[in-house]
Amino acid sequence: MKINDNFERMVPNYLFADVARKTNDFAKAHPDSEIIRLGIGDVTLPLAGVVVDAMKKGCEELRFKESFRGYPEYEGYDFARQAVADYYRSFGVKIDADEVFISDGAKSDCGNIGDIFSQDNTVLIPDPVYPVYVDANIMSGRNIIYAPSSKDDHFLAMPDRKVKADIIYICSPNNPTGAAYNHAQLKAWVDYALENNAVILYDAAYEAFIQDDLPRSIFAVEGARECAIELCSLSKTAGFTGVRCGYTVIPKELSRGGHRLHDLWYRRQATKFNGVSWAVQCGAAAVFSEEGQRQCLENISYYRQNAKIISDTLDELGIYYTGGKNSPYIWFECPNKMDSWEFFDYLLQNAGVVGTPGAGFGKCGKNYFRMTSFNSHEKTLEAVKRIKKLFI
Ligand code: PLP
């Protein structure tokens, strides 16, 4: 018996454990200080009432023989898939309901989608980015190359035609940088993928935060249906981090090696996944109803105001940042050339504020820091007051 020795190639990621340890040590040493956490990657506002009502109704139906349901469809119930397709239509993108696969979230899909691709593919991953793409592909033994980004391109990595890749991860709006691609930039990625016969795995988990005139979906870009799969989540759109629901969209015309990727993914899901519960899919469909959208957008608007509080402060302090406008994340350059862990310690010790060191998201994050808008207005205001005191 041999273990999967690709695990030996994985770099231990102690990011959140180290953040928690240092924060707890500080709290113990300074029991009277009020620590403010702006590193939170989880939502904090409760679910929309209309979503809870739909889930309650869904549960109630399971009480009776006539409306009881057992195993769900692997790919999701028709009404939930149709609700997603209608949502896309609301921002001008046409997808068919049967191209939507309802899942238990984007994290699983981001990792599991690799099952339909050969181990021999070279994977291109932007740096910095959500670490799941890297770890999932190391586990599968794939060769990874990076698309570095920096202040020069405002943390929006662009394709390098000298580099050949088979699978390309794109996350827009990006975690951790909050930067979001415009139409022309995404078109450049689509053209590059088509030239290389590559497939883009487009993570749109934060699309609901987009306010500017930017694509909400890769399928807003011409040619994307021949080269892209889109993964999305209700976690940040509707506060489903605990409820668990997401979806993946695979156009029917997307084929490689004589196979429709849609069919391969169906086969994969039918083998290893038993679907999302009835009640959760009832709640998910309610997210996309008119009232659901209104209520979910109220929460997003609350987080947006926090993001603005933070980005206005960075403007005032003359600190370079990305994000904050189309994203719950604000990514800024550590002042005085500190590296991200030095800055983490400095901010904790001197202001009692906790954020996330950029080094945890890739080499290009070494001198950057991520703050999020998921705390309360009051705490966010207090945190920026303390930060201003340090730097003015
Ligand atoms: N994709 C990105 C870019 C994320 O930042 C996250 C969560 O933080 C996810 C996916 C995970 O989504 P889910 O909660 O649906 O698994």
Side-chain angles (χ1 to χ4, degrees):
M1 201 294 293
K2 288 184 184 155
I3 60 149
N4 175 356
D5 55 17
N6 291 317
F7 276 76
E8 280 164 18
R9 291 171 55 214
M10 289 176 68
V11 182
N13 191 343
Y14 297 131
L15 177 69
F16 289 104
D18 285 348
V19 165
R21 183 179 46 77
K22 281 174 180 260
T23 310
N24 292 341
D25 289 351
F26 178 81
K28 264 194 215 132
H30 305 86
D32 297 331
S33 72
E34 189 218 358
I35 296 175
I36 301 178
R37 289 175 169 80
L38 294 187
I40 314 171
D42 197 354
V43 291
T44 48
L45 295 174
L47 292 175
V50 67
V51 170
V52 176
D53 289 344
M55 288 200 287
K56 272 161 96 175
K57 184 166 170 285
C59 278
E60 198 54 34
E61 284 166 6
L62 301 180
R63 183 194 289 265
F64 305 103
K65 198 165 187 299
E66 300 70 37
S67 48
F68 172 77
R69 285 174 169 82
Y71 285 125
E73 317 280 0
Y74 309 121
E75 69 278 30
Y77 290 109
D78 287 347
F79 70 89
R81 303 173 89 193
Q82 188 60 54
V84 173
D86 292 345
Y87 174 62
Y88 273 63
R89 192 160 320 117
S90 74
F91 49 80
V93 173
K94 191 188 169 308
I95 57 165
D96 287 336
D98 61 1
E99 295 175 325
V100 177
F101 292 83
I102 305 291
S103 74
D104 62 348
K107 189 183 202 174
S108 333
D109 285 1
C110 285
N112 295 337
I113 194 81
D115 276 6
I116 68 171
F117 300 112
S118 158
Q119 260 41 349
D120 301 335
N121 288 307
T122 294
V123 185
L124 180 63
I125 301 181
D127 177 355
V129 87
Y130 183 49
V132 169
Y133 315 148
V134 173
D135 284 354
N137 281 286
I138 294 178
M139 273 182 210
S140 311
R142 289 196 188 87
N143 177 36
I144 298 174
I145 52 177
Y146 294 92
S149 63
S150 67
K151 200 175 182 174
D152 295 342
D153 52 25
H154 298 295
F155 285 96
L156 288 167
M158 293 305 294
D160 174 353
R161 295 211 140 61
K162 295 186 293 297
V163 172
K164 291 264 168 258
D166 305 304
I167 297 170
I168 302 155
Y169 280 86
I170 297 179
C171 180
S172 181
N174 179 285
N175 177 12
T177 69
Y181 286 106
N182 65 29
H183 193 278
Q185 291 166 326
L186 281 184
K187 176 83 172 78
W189 276 110
V190 166
D191 290 346
Y192 168 81
L194 290 171
E195 281 160 30
N196 283 280
N197 201 31
V199 171
I200 294 174
L201 301 176
Y202 188 81
D203 187 341
Y206 298 96
E207 60 77 22
F209 283 80
I210 291 179
Q211 302 179 71
D212 291 335
D213 183 20
L214 300 171
R216 303 274 295 266
S217 158
I218 187 84
F219 300 120
V221 176
E222 189 195 329
R225 291 183 60 87
E226 282 83 45
C227 67
I229 289 176
E230 182 154 299
L231 309 119
C232 202
S233 166
L234 293 186
S235 285
K236 311 294 158 80
T237 303
F240 270 46
T241 50
V243 175
R244 309 303 309 143
C245 192
Y247 48 91
T248 285
V249 182
I250 310 189
K252 278 171 281 181
E253 54 263 58
L254 177 57
S255 297
R256 291 292 184 274
H259 292 278
R260 293 201 318 175
L261 300 193
H262 182 281
D263 299 346
L264 299 187
W265 183 240
Y266 178 82
R267 184 78 167 89
R268 187 272 169 210
Q269 292 294 78
T271 304
K272 295 193 187 176
F273 181 63
N274 250 343
V276 175
S277 73
W278 167 253
V280 166
Q281 292 195 57
C282 291
V287 166
F288 299 115
S289 66
E290 210 179 313
E291 181 56 17
Q293 282 295 291
R294 198 193 59 72
Q295 292 184 15
C296 291
L297 278 172
E298 256 175 38
N299 286 1
I300 287 180
S301 157
Y302 182 90
Y303 298 135
R304 277 181 183 147
Q305 288 168 43
N306 288 343
K308 188 159 184 332
I309 291 169
I310 299 171
S311 56
D312 283 351
T313 304
L314 295 173
D315 280 333
E316 225 179 299
L317 297 174
I319 294 174
Y320 174 80
Y321 67 93
T322 54
K325 179 99 188 277
N326 301 300
S327 159
Y329 299 125
I330 300 97
W331 173 256
F332 61 92
E333 191 170 28
C334 302
N336 306 327
K337 303 220 171 328
M338 278 186 252
D339 80 30
S340 63
W341 276 110
E342 258 178 274
F343 183 66
F344 174 90
D345 291 333
Y346 178 80
L347 201 61
L348 179 60
Q349 299 294 332
N350 296 288
V353 173
V354 178
T356 312
F361 301 97
K363 285 200 179 98
C364 299
K366 193 174 152 288
N367 293 99
Y368 282 80
F369 205 70
R370 188 191 78 173
M371 280 188 178
T372 82
S373 55
F374 292 124
N375 211 320
S376 64
H377 284 338
E378 297 68 29
K379 292 268 174 72
T380 307
L381 281 167
E382 172 60 22
V384 298
K385 198 165 109 194
R386 294 186 197 171
I387 293 171
K388 272 194 214 169
K389 251 200 209 153
L390 286 181
F391 293 105
I392 286 184

